[in-house]
């Protein structure tokens, strides 16, 4: 009977520890213009656009979820639709990946700034930079 109580208590604690792994913490504030020289033999880059990443804050969970709060500016003279394919994350192992959460486009008028929270799924390495084709090196 004692073992049954212990098993019951352990089963109650598992969801709590799993939820703790989903808690996000801020990794760093992205430093715009910082140069990285990872190889990009596959020429992975974001879709051409008139958007610029003005600033970004990177977040992660213990389980490896990677998110970023980014502020994007529409540099075009008219309104444009920001799509996930316009953004790219550079990870600390040199890999690149587009967002998994920006599936619907976001309309931005000319010169408009917009902050959005974007998920980049799970990864072993942290995000170093978020960029668009205008920020691409």
């Amino acid at each position: 009977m004692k073992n049954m109580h212990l098993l019951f208590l352990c089963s109650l604690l598992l969801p709590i520890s799993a939820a703790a792994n989903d808690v996000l913490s801020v990794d760093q504030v992205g430093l715009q213009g910082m140069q990285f020289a990872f190889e990009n033999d596959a020429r992975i880059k974001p879709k051409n656009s008139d958007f610029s990443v003005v600033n970004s804050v990177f977040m992660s969970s213990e389980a490896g979820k990677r998110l970023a709060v980014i502020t994007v500016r529409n540099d075009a003279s008219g309104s444009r639709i920001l799509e996930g394919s316009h953004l790219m994350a550079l990870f600390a192992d040199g890999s690149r990946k587009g967002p998994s959460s920006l599936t619907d486009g976001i309309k931005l008028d000319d010169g408009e700034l917009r902050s959005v929270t974007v998920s980049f799924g799970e990864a072993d390495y942290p995000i170093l930079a978020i960029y668009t084709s205008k920020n691409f090196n």
Side-chain angles (χ1 to χ4, degrees):
M1 189 62 123
K2 196 175 205 176
N3 288 340
M4 292 282 282
H5 289 289
L6 183 59
L7 185 60
F8 176 73
L9 287 174
C10 287
S11 69
L12 290 177
L13 292 177
L14 285 176
I16 293 170
S17 64
N21 285 340
D22 288 339
V23 173
L24 295 172
S25 59
V26 173
D27 294 336
Q28 68 175 26
V29 174
L31 303 172
Q32 300 312 317
M34 183 175 268
Q35 300 288 320
F36 295 101
F38 290 106
E39 297 218 13
N40 188 6
D41 294 336
R43 302 269 186 235
I44 300 170
K45 62 180 186 174
K47 181 179 174 182
N48 285 338
S49 72
D50 291 313
F51 298 105
S52 295
V53 175
V54 177
N55 58 51
S56 52
V57 177
F58 308 132
M59 299 175 290
S60 64
S61 71
E62 287 185 28
K65 288 184 182 178
R66 307 294 174 191
L67 289 91
V69 175
I70 59 169
T71 302
V72 178
R73 180 181 56 236
N74 175 9
D75 294 327
S77 58
S79 64
R80 297 289 187 268
I81 305 293
L82 175 67
E83 300 171 354
S85 59
H86 293 131
L87 300 169
M88 184 76 44
L90 174 66
F91 291 84
D93 65 348
S95 65
R96 292 156 173 86
K97 184 177 176 183
S100 58
S101 68
L102 190 60
T103 55
D104 295 332
I106 300 171
K107 182 182 175 189
L108 281 85
D109 293 328
D110 58 324
E112 184 178 354
L113 288 170
R114 179 81 56 91
S115 294
V116 293
T117 302
V118 183
S119 174
F120 289 89
E122 291 188 10
D124 291 334
Y125 291 89
I127 297 172
L128 295 178
I130 307 286
Y131 57 93
T132 66
S133 61
K134 289 191 72 149
N135 304 115
F136 185 69
N137 301 333

